Amino acid sequence: MKKSISILSLVVLFFLSCKKSDTVTSPTENKQTETTATSGDPLPSWNDGALKKDIIAYVEKVTKEGSPDFIPVEDRIATFDNDGTLWAEKPYVQELFAFYRVKKMVEANPALAQKQPFKAVVEKDKAFFEKGGDKALIELVAATHTGMTEDEFEASTKEFFAGAQYPGKNVPLKQIRYQPQLELLNYLRANGFKTFIVTGGTIELVRAISADFYGIPKDQVVGTSFKYKFDDAKNAVLREPALDHFNDKEGKPVGIQLHIGQRPVFACGNEGGAGDLAMLRYSSGSKYPSFQLIVNHNDSIREYNYQEKDNLSLNTAAKYKYHVISMKDDWKKIFPDK
Amino acid sequence: MKKSISILSLVVLFFLSCKKSDTVTSPTENKQTETTATSGDPLPSWNDGALKKDIIAYVEKVTKEGSPDFIPVEDRIATFDNDGTLWAEKPYVQELFAFYRVKKMVEANPALAQKQPFKAVVEKDKAFFEKGGDKALIELVAATHTGMTEDEFEASTKEFFAGAQYPGKNVPLKQIRYQPQLELLNYLRANGFKTFIVTGGTIELVRAISADFYGIPKDQVVGTSFKYKFDDAKNAVLREPALDHFNDKEGKPVGIQLHIGQRPVFACGNEGGAGDLAMLRYSSGSKYPSFQLIVNHNDSIREYNYQEKDNLSLNTAAKYKYHVISMKDDWKKIFPDK
């Protein structure tokens, strides 16, 4: 039952994020040159200010041998949420993928277009999902993401990412990454940090692009997972239509323990769905000096402007003294040029 | 129910391995100098022969750029079982740890010594576990490995490894590692392979020593895990008395998919409990040239001599042309000097 609710939350999240924002500008409007971290400034797309100074001061103090704040390399674990933290989440890429899968499946088997819940997707009948109840939604995720081998799933993600464009922007998905975060990842790695993605999205979808988009290997992605089963005759791992782990909220420290085995000393999430608070709190319990960071989506011109109704993430950040990124003020540039 | 059976299998395995072998020799009897892989020969503790030649030929062909056999660095995934593959398994270290925990818990609460299943451990009453049924065994594992935070569990593993000696040998546990395998791990890493431990043992116990013993970071250990729960008030991950994943046999490809996200191209296990066959088979399905290796414990003088009753692992190796390590013939030296 709990699993059903989790699948439902996941799907509801997809659909709630369907509303297109009219405040999005094309990344081609960001005329500044894309710079890399090879110059003197490791974070060229970050505006000079207190936050940038704090990040650099933290990294310098914990990597200085002999300092009381020194963190051994093997314990320099940095975790980043993905949706809304490393790339845009309006809409979720996961949702685009689910729709893509429906399209492909209907092409292969046109009769599906007459069957719910495929019919509703084909006909863009959002009301069906809003009102249709758990069953249809769970069936949609199960039908589009499971019931195949991992090799088949991987092939379908490759196809999807090769052709997908982001709605409203009409750019490849690589261009909805946040340039300042790419620099931050590079900067941390250059200082001996091991960088992980800890996403509420499904783990293999993110693994499909983690190395190419973020320089993060597949095994350093922690995410929502389905139940797997090894089939000796096929010599393949099958993904079954049942959720194994929902990697959001309290699920994030659990996923971190299972995959990483230790607390991150640097953790970064975003406000919007309060999905990263448990990860940030877990990080703050490290025995080492730690750094917590939250992206605040307050840039209606260059990205989006959205806040939680109860402001939970920002209130929690204030309570525990987490650092908050004001996209509007702290980021010189939002998206990379390519 | 399935979970109970799995816990039972785990515990039964512990206890079945209790019989002390009288064929063990002290590693101090291995007089050869401990060498490292820095000389011309990357595998100095391996005897020259067909197997050593095959390993080196494989590594050379898949790392040669432009060759049709070339494997990109990000896909050079090597997985090693631990018990009986990287260190001795007679008895399992996991079993020593469970006994150590009982001792500690009884010291802290002497009344436990009168309570089963602690009483049976304190009084070395093996018959109790052989005859006592599931309940007592499951209670023992639950009581000794769970019901605490991950930080507390980690502290207890540190204490254990600092003092533990291997029965029959009276050496620290570091000296039951296999020197030739340490060289093989180093050799693979020097050639761009990412090395993982994929163990039937519990994940955190192996993580406690993976970096120090094998040069493998915590997040590159895949193992049997309990259910976790994040407790916000304590800001800690709690381990609950329920198995989440039993990482043996068909569980190994599942653990690999979840943690690594791709098939290993190099996989090494051992015969003895047929626990590694699914992992080796999964590896053999790689789209790249792959290498499967099984340790055959046939060295009654320097290590142990034990085979599966049905010879399943060695028969499967012959069927699929996996490589077999004859400890007696292929390894010049078994244990490191320190």
Side-chain angles (χ1 to χ4, degrees):
Chain A
M1 193 55 206
K2 206 178 147 199
K3 293 284 157 98
S4 301
I5 291 167
S6 297
I7 287 202
L8 181 61
S9 321
L10 190 69
V11 180
V12 165
L13 276 171
F14 294 170
F15 284 89
L16 288 181
S17 69
C18 281
K19 295 168 203 149
K20 267 185 206 163
S21 165
D22 53 0
T23 58
V24 193
T25 53
S26 155
T28 55
E29 291 181 38
N30 299 304
K31 293 288 182 206
Q32 281 161 287
T33 316
E34 189 180 0
T35 49
T36 64
T38 51
S39 71
D41 183 352
L43 302 172
S45 299
W46 293 67
N47 283 318
D48 291 324
L51 179 57
K52 180 172 174 174
K53 207 173 281 181
D54 284 350
I55 292 172
I56 293 175
Y58 172 77
V59 170
E60 288 181 349
K61 83 173 178 182
V62 302
T63 55
K64 192 178 171 184
E65 218 148 341
S67 140
D69 295 323
F70 180 74
I71 303 176
V73 168
E74 63 269 26
D75 294 334
R76 290 183 205 159
I77 302 294
T79 56
F80 284 76
D81 170 56
N82 188 32
D83 295 313
T85 298
L86 293 179
W87 70 10
E89 61 174 354
K90 298 286 179 182
Y92 285 119
V93 170
Q94 182 100 42
E95 177 195 330
L96 302 178
F97 177 71
F99 292 165
Y100 166 85
R101 290 279 308 146
V102 166
K103 191 167 164 270
K104 283 293 194 185
M105 291 172 79
V106 168
E107 275 170 19
N109 178 9
L112 283 179
Q114 300 310 316
K115 265 183 146 176
Q116 294 294 15
F118 296 91
K119 188 167 184 282
V121 176
V122 171
E123 296 173 0
K124 298 189 166 63
D125 177 9
K126 283 179 194 170
F128 175 86
F129 290 103
E130 281 162 17
K131 296 170 193 171
D134 305 16
K135 208 169 154 273
L137 294 171
I138 292 168
E139 269 173 23
L140 180 68
V141 168
T144 55
H145 282 62
T146 68
M148 62 190 101
T149 68
E150 282 302 330
D151 302 300
E152 288 161 353
F153 184 80
E154 190 176 356
S156 78
T157 61
K158 273 197 181 137
E159 266 181 25
F160 164 72
F161 279 106
Q165 299 270 313
Y166 204 65
K169 293 175 175 289
N170 303 319
V171 294
L173 300 185
K174 218 170 174 172
Q175 278 174 245
I176 61 156
R177 298 172 301 166
Y178 303 136
Q179 174 66 24
Q181 298 289 63
L182 302 178
E183 294 166 5
L184 180 54
L185 287 171
N186 280 334
Y187 176 53
L188 290 170
R189 287 192 289 255
N191 283 280
F193 286 78
K194 198 163 185 175
T195 53
F196 292 82
I197 293 172
V198 178
T199 177
T202 61
I203 191 165
E204 283 87 2
L205 188 70
V206 178
R207 280 174 172 165
I209 48 84
S210 62
D212 182 33
F213 280 28
Y214 305 120
I216 292 179
K218 286 178 179 169
D219 65 285
Q220 289 167 224
V221 177
V222 181
T224 293
S225 54
F226 295 96
K227 285 211 179 297
Y228 306 120
K229 191 181 164 181
F230 180 65
D231 182 320
D232 190 83
K234 282 191 180 173
N235 193 5
V237 170
L238 306 179
R239 37 171 52 210
E240 301 190 305
L243 208 61
D244 182 51
H245 171 64
F246 187 47
N247 199 57
D248 200 32
K249 298 193 166 75
E250 284 71 26
K252 289 204 172 190
V254 168
I256 287 170
Q257 176 57 33
L258 182 63
H259 288 258
I260 308 178
Q262 61 184 318
R263 293 180 195 251
V265 293
F266 192 104
C268 182
N270 74 300
E271 65 79 36
D276 296 314
L277 293 175
M279 173 172 81
L280 298 172
R281 176 131 169 82
Y282 192 49
S283 162
S284 75
S286 170
K287 64 182 174 183
Y288 299 110
S290 62
F291 200 99
Q292 292 75 38
L293 196 52
I294 289 187
V295 177
N296 184 13
H297 296 271
N298 61 356
D299 193 327
S300 61
I301 306 298
R302 298 182 300 170
E303 205 237 7
Y304 308 93
N305 187 0
Y306 55 95
Q307 264 74 38
E308 293 153 10
K309 272 186 188 157
D310 58 2
N311 237 17
L312 183 61
S313 291
L314 296 179
N315 290 343
T316 306
K319 178 178 170 189
Y320 291 125
K321 304 199 188 311
Y322 300 155
H323 295 81
V324 176
I325 297 170
S326 161
M327 287 185 95
K328 199 171 58 172
D329 304 315
D330 289 313
W331 285 357
K332 202 177 285 179
K333 171 180 188 161
I334 308 283
F335 300 107
D337 298 328
K338 55 182 180 179
Chain B
M1 190 58 205
K2 207 180 148 199
K3 293 285 156 98
S4 300
I5 290 167
S6 297
I7 287 203
L8 181 62
S9 321
L10 189 69
V11 180
V12 165
L13 276 172
F14 293 170
F15 283 90
L16 288 180
S17 70
C18 282
K19 295 169 203 150
K20 268 185 204 163
S21 164
D22 53 1
T23 58
V24 193
T25 53
S26 156
T28 56
E29 290 180 38
N30 299 305
K31 294 289 183 205
Q32 281 159 289
T33 317
E34 189 180 1
T35 48
T36 64
T38 51
S39 70
D41 183 351
L43 302 171
S45 300
W46 293 68
N47 284 317
D48 291 323
L51 180 56
K52 179 172 175 173
K53 207 173 281 180
D54 283 349
I55 292 172
I56 293 174
Y58 171 78
V59 170
E60 287 180 350
K61 84 174 176 182
V62 300
T63 55
K64 192 178 170 184
E65 218 146 341
S67 140
D69 296 322
F70 180 74
I71 304 177
V73 168
E74 62 270 25
D75 295 334
R76 291 183 203 158
I77 302 294
T79 56
F80 285 76
D81 169 56
N82 188 32
D83 296 313
T85 297
L86 293 179
W87 70 9
E89 61 175 352
K90 299 286 181 181
Y92 285 119
V93 170
Q94 183 101 43
E95 177 195 328
L96 303 178
F97 177 70
F99 292 165
Y100 165 84
R101 290 280 307 146
V102 167
K103 192 167 163 269
K104 284 292 195 185
M105 292 172 77
V106 168
E107 276 170 18
N109 178 8
L112 282 179
Q114 300 311 314
K115 267 182 143 175
Q116 293 295 15
F118 296 91
K119 187 167 185 281
V121 176
V122 171
E123 295 173 358
K124 299 188 165 64
D125 177 10
K126 283 179 195 171
F128 175 86
F129 291 102
E130 280 161 16
K131 295 170 194 170
D134 305 17
K135 207 170 156 272
L137 294 171
I138 292 169
E139 271 174 21
L140 180 69
V141 168
T144 55
H145 283 61
T146 69
M148 63 190 101
T149 68
E150 283 301 329
D151 301 300
E152 288 161 352
F153 185 80
E154 190 177 357
S156 77
T157 61
K158 273 199 182 138
E159 266 181 28
F160 165 71
F161 279 106
Q165 300 269 314
Y166 204 66
K169 293 176 174 290
N170 303 319
V171 294
L173 300 185
K174 219 170 173 174
Q175 279 174 244
I176 62 157
R177 297 173 301 165
Y178 302 138
Q179 174 65 24
Q181 298 289 62
L182 302 179
E183 294 166 6
L184 179 55
L185 287 171
N186 279 334
Y187 176 54
L188 289 170
R189 287 192 289 254
N191 283 282
F193 286 79
K194 198 164 184 175
T195 55
F196 292 82
I197 293 172
V198 178
T199 178
T202 60
I203 192 166
E204 283 87 2
L205 188 70
V206 177
R207 280 174 172 166
I209 49 83
S210 62
D212 182 34
F213 280 28
Y214 304 121
I216 293 178
K218 285 178 178 170
D219 64 285
Q220 289 166 224
V221 177
V222 181
T224 293
S225 54
F226 295 97
K227 284 210 179 298
Y228 306 120
K229 191 181 164 179
F230 180 64
D231 182 323
D232 191 82
K234 282 191 180 173
N235 192 4
V237 170
L238 305 178
R239 36 171 54 210
E240 301 190 305
L243 209 60
D244 181 51
H245 171 63
F246 186 47
N247 198 57
D248 200 34
K249 297 192 166 72
E250 284 71 26
K252 289 204 173 189
V254 168
I256 288 169
Q257 176 57 33
L258 182 63
H259 287 259
I260 308 178
Q262 61 183 319
R263 292 180 196 251
V265 293
F266 191 105
C268 182
N270 74 299
E271 63 81 36
D276 297 313
L277 293 176
M279 172 172 80
L280 298 171
R281 177 131 168 83
Y282 192 51
S283 163
S284 75
S286 171
K287 64 182 174 183
Y288 298 111
S290 61
F291 200 99
Q292 293 75 39
L293 197 52
I294 289 188
V295 177
N296 183 12
H297 295 271
N298 62 356
D299 193 327
S300 61
I301 306 297
R302 297 183 301 170
E303 206 237 6
Y304 308 93
N305 187 0
Y306 55 94
Q307 264 75 38
E308 293 153 11
K309 272 186 187 154
D310 58 3
N311 237 16
L312 183 61
S313 291
L314 296 179
N315 290 344
T316 307
K319 179 178 170 190
Y320 290 125
K321 305 201 188 310
Y322 300 156
H323 295 82
V324 176
I325 297 170
S326 161
M327 286 185 95
K328 198 170 61 173
D329 303 315
D330 289 313
W331 285 357
K332 203 177 283 180
K333 171 179 187 161
I334 308 284
F335 299 107
D337 298 329
K338 55 182 181 179

